[in-house]
Amino acid sequence: MPSELVSELRSRTGRRGLSGYITEAVRHQLAMDGLAEIVASHEEEHGALTEQEVEAARRELFGDENTEQGAA
């Protein structure tokens, strides 16, 4: 990892928080990779997701407050 990146991380987390921060970042990236694999598999079998499907997934994951349609 580039030393300037480590320095920035340490300034945000302190030495003791660095490992936990990196662990959470890796955990998040693995989850995002898993979601990307699910979407790719679905799209390979069924074609591209529609905007309605994407919005339905957003509502399921994050609730109505994070969608434009939920604000109405």
Side-chain angles (χ1 to χ4, degrees):
M1 184 179 301
S3 61
E4 65 274 3
L5 188 57
V6 173
S7 294
E8 184 175 348
L9 286 170
R10 283 195 176 131
S11 72
R12 291 178 180 265
T13 64
R15 285 187 176 268
R16 300 180 116 188
L18 184 62
S19 178
Y21 189 94
I22 292 171
T23 298
E24 287 307 308
V26 170
R27 185 173 283 130
H28 175 79
Q29 187 60 52
L30 289 171
M32 293 300 99
D33 290 350
L35 287 173
E37 290 168 5
I38 290 168
V39 169
S41 175
H42 175 85
E43 288 184 334
E44 185 177 310
E45 188 172 335
H46 302 285
L49 292 169
T50 66
E51 186 59 35
Q52 292 80 15
E53 290 170 320
V54 171
E55 286 302 318
R58 263 194 203 112
R59 282 192 300 278
E60 177 134 353
L61 289 169
F62 305 113
D64 286 338
E65 68 275 1
N66 289 320
T67 63
E68 293 175 356
Q69 295 173 352

